[in-house]
Each structure stands twice: as C-alpha cells, then as structure tokens.
Amino acid sequence: MFRRVHEEIMEACCKCRVVGLSAEDMRDLYKVDDSYQNTYIVTHDKNEQSYSCECKLFGRQGFLCSHIFFVLKNTDIKVIPSKYTESRWMKTSLVRAVHGYVPDSLQHISVVDEKQILSNELTTMFYGCLGRYQCNTDRLLDFATGMKDLCNSLKSGTTPTSALDKRRMVEDFYGMARPELVEVHPPEVVKTKGSCSSKGSRIISQREKAIREFNKPLRKCVTCQELGHHDSRKCARVKAKEKKNAKGKEKC
Ligand SMILES: [Zn+2]
Ligand SMILES: [Zn+2]
C-alpha cells in the first residue's frame, strides 16, 4: 500500500500539471493533466476542506489519486487531511462502522512506538533527498557515496564520524588549529643549466688544471736546481712521473 501511494505522490510531483483553473463560490476547480494524457477536474471545497477528483480513485481504492496530491502540493498542504487516511486503512474506522463505538484498547493503539516514528522520518528524508537531487548527477553521486560510507561503517560496527569530529581529530594530531587562510607561495626557481650546486664549486677538468698550472710563474726547486712548477717536497714525485712519461713516449 505504501508503495502504491508513493507512486501516486511521485506521479503528482513529476508528471502532473495544471491546464485550467476556475472558481465557483467557495470551490476551486483545477483541471489537472497527468502522464497518461488524461485530464481530470479536481474540486477543492474551501468550506469543508475536502477534495474530490473525477477519476474517483479514492472512492474505488480508498487512497488519494495523483491529481488530488498535486492540488494538495499546490495549495501548500503539508499533511494529508485525516479524513483521507482514516477511511479504510485504520482499525478504528472499521470498528466504529461495525460496533458504533471504539474500545479504549484500540484507541491507544494509535500511539506509535519510537522506532516507527524514526523509520518514518528516515523514509521521508531518503525519498526527499532522492527527489530533490535526482536531476543533479554530482549531488546524487555525493548522496550515494555518503550512504555507502554510512552503510559500511554501520556494518563494521564503527560509529560514523562527522566532518566536525574529523577536523578536531586532525587538529589534535597536528597540535594546532587549522588556519582560516592558507597562503601558498610560488616554489623556488630551480636551475636547469650547469652545475646544480648553489655554492659555486664545480669539478675542474684536467685540461683546465694543466692550463692554470702552465700560466703560473716558474720557481726554482732547491733539490734539482731547475726552474719549474714544483718544489723540493714534490721533486722526487715529479721527476719519477716525467721519467715514466718519457719511457712511454720512447716505446711509442
Ligand atoms: Zn484523480
Ligand atoms: Zn726539483
């Protein structure tokens, strides 16, 4: 039954439209077009606050048709008038019709438990969100992701953390509050040419070393008494090297 009424309400929200409106004394007549290309006249009696539709679904089935739901929506009625819900689907009205009175025990049955109220609220919230965000894919995706997260956390038994809790956890971890304004500076310029060292030191090639050595003024070695680029400390090593080089040249 819930599904059937829900279908009528969805039909009223999405498919129905008013094609004509007229008023007679205290009665408003709405011409309502539905998705089956049918046009029915819904009469709204302002004195009795009653609604009737030409399709007579209420008379046949006992629940309101999409046309009346549409008019209810247009006249800003948030709660379905009790006379349209009590007629057929509640024990009290049946008992009243048969016995002429309602026993006390039945009257107290209408006190619904908290679980029922909560589940009704959830159903309303869910379908409300679904109806509101149906046209927006991004919002619908957010809604679905949120629902999935909630389902997973409920399944695993952990309590879902709200955005505020998460923020507090992160702030506790870092030991400081999140700044309202985050300033981002451009990164330091990186050298892409030459040596990447910023100290100015670089590897000097053998050739460059030799040129620099050649340009130095000559000095006299105390050991061999020659003018050259070495002193008495390096004399033996330099002479040995020169000999080796000379031998290598002779061999060639
Ligand atoms: Zn109708
Ligand atoms: Zn020397």
Side-chain angles (χ1 to χ4, degrees):
M1 177 43 59
F2 170 77
R3 188 172 292 277
R4 193 67 192 83
V5 175
H6 178 240
E7 275 170 16
E8 290 293 331
I9 293 175
M10 289 305 279
E11 169 93 13
C13 289
C14 307
K15 311 275 174 61
C16 288
R17 62 197 178 99
V18 172
V19 287
L21 173 66
S22 56
E24 290 176 6
D25 301 332
M26 287 305 285
R27 291 196 309 166
D28 283 342
L29 304 176
Y30 297 84
K31 248 187 176 178
V32 180
D33 210 359
D34 65 15
S35 61
Y36 306 104
Q37 310 295 325
N38 298 322
T39 307
Y40 293 107
I41 293 174
V42 177
T43 314
H44 173 208
D45 194 318
K46 289 179 184 171
N47 277 337
E48 295 178 15
Q49 280 303 315
S50 66
Y51 300 82
S52 60
C53 177
E54 274 187 337
C55 76
K56 294 193 168 53
L57 184 78
F58 185 71
R60 278 183 283 125
Q61 306 271 348
F63 55 87
L64 293 177
C65 61
S66 56
H67 318 112
I68 293 181
F69 276 126
F70 181 72
V71 172
L72 286 177
K73 191 184 124 197
N74 273 14
T75 45
D76 263 353
I77 306 279
K78 302 284 182 207
V79 181
I80 301 169
S82 59
K83 62 180 156 190
Y84 295 112
T85 51
E86 272 182 357
S87 66
R88 186 164 165 179
W89 306 107
M90 289 174 88
K91 281 179 186 170
T92 45
S93 45
L94 182 70
V95 171
R96 195 179 286 126
V98 175
H99 301 289
Y101 73 101
V102 182
D104 284 351
S105 58
L106 270 182
Q107 267 181 341
H108 292 298
I109 282 178
S110 59
V111 179
V112 222
D113 63 338
E114 278 182 20
K115 254 191 250 172
Q116 190 63 44
I117 294 172
L118 204 61
S119 68
N120 284 353
E121 263 178 31
L122 276 173
T123 317
T124 316
M125 212 187 295
F126 178 78
Y127 282 108
C129 285
L130 199 64
R132 219 172 298 142
Y133 305 130
Q134 229 163 14
C135 312
N136 191 331
T137 322
D138 291 341
R139 281 287 170 86
L140 209 60
L141 204 67
D142 287 347
F143 183 47
T145 318
M147 286 297 287
K148 264 183 218 164
D149 286 350
L150 188 64
C151 284
N152 288 339
S153 61
L154 287 177
K155 224 184 269 177
S156 61
T158 52
T159 44
T161 46
S162 68
L164 202 70
D165 284 344
K166 271 186 193 167
R167 188 175 163 164
R168 199 174 300 135
M169 271 164 65
V170 172
E171 281 178 357
D172 283 348
F173 181 75
Y174 284 111
M176 60 181 284
R178 183 176 152 188
E180 287 302 317
L181 187 74
V182 180
E183 280 185 15
V184 179
H185 299 288
E188 281 182 17
V189 181
V190 176
K191 263 194 202 172
T192 53
K193 282 178 185 170
S195 165
C196 60
S197 169
S198 57
K199 288 176 189 168
S201 63
R202 61 189 177 87
I203 299 164
I204 298 161
S205 69
Q206 288 292 325
R207 185 183 157 83
E208 206 177 334
K209 260 187 200 168
I211 290 169
R212 195 179 289 171
E213 194 70 21
F214 184 76
N215 288 336
K216 272 186 187 171
L218 296 174
R219 56 195 285 187
K220 195 178 179 183
C221 171
V222 183
T223 316
C224 62
Q225 301 296 321
E226 273 181 19
L227 279 172
H229 294 294
H230 69 274
D231 57 8
S232 59
R233 267 193 304 136
K234 286 183 184 172
C235 185
R237 214 189 307 161
V238 170
K239 288 289 166 196
K241 206 176 177 183
E242 272 176 9
K243 258 187 197 170
K244 205 178 170 187
N245 284 347
K247 267 186 188 174
K249 275 179 188 172
E250 274 172 18
K251 273 184 186 173
C252 289

